[in-house]
Amino acid sequence: MQAELIYQILNGEIERNEVSLPDGVDVMDEFTDGRECGRLYDRVYSAKLRLGNRLGMDEDSDVEEIINCMCSISRILADKMFQYGMNFQTRSLKKDT
């Protein structure tokens, strides 16, 4: 649940002020204010439009499939990274006691 919530904030799917996170935890939308993910997304979107123009159509199902699959891969990796981070933190706390 925490991983999904953080992922949604990072992607701008929900606003940070709409949810309650533990004290000291600040998660930012990585697609706003010229942040790197936003710039990269703009490049992907521009490339999609250029490809559509070359193909003579607004949308191409193969391009959409590529983008959708890459988004799914990103979500899976983000969840796994979160889980690994939680596991490492738990192990680190156990070593300190």
Side-chain angles (χ1 to χ4, degrees):
M1 177 65 176
Q2 289 177 334
E4 180 64 22
L5 182 64
I6 291 170
Y7 187 83
Q8 289 176 335
I9 296 169
L10 287 171
N11 280 295
E13 295 173 20
I14 58 175
E15 295 286 325
R16 166 61 184 95
N17 60 0
E18 293 176 13
V19 296
S20 177
L21 293 174
D23 288 339
V25 174
D26 191 26
V27 180
M28 299 197 46
D29 178 347
E30 293 297 324
F31 289 83
T32 59
D33 300 328
R35 298 183 72 81
E36 186 174 11
C37 288
R39 290 191 308 269
L40 290 168
Y41 181 83
D42 289 345
R43 289 176 57 193
V44 168
Y45 187 76
S46 293
K48 174 188 162 190
L49 293 177
R50 289 190 307 272
L51 185 57
N53 284 335
R54 283 198 303 273
L55 296 173
M57 57 183 65
D58 289 335
E59 292 193 17
D60 178 74
S61 62
D62 288 334
V63 172
E64 293 300 319
E65 179 72 6
I66 291 168
I67 292 171
N68 290 336
C69 286
M70 292 306 296
C71 288
S72 294
I73 289 168
S74 172
R75 183 178 289 269
I76 291 166
L77 291 175
D79 183 56
K80 293 208 178 278
M81 295 259 322
F82 182 87
Q83 295 306 320
Y84 283 122
M86 294 296 287
N87 288 339
F88 288 141
Q89 180 184 23
T90 301
R91 288 179 186 212
S92 176
L93 291 174
K94 287 180 181 177
K95 285 181 183 178
D96 292 340
T97 56

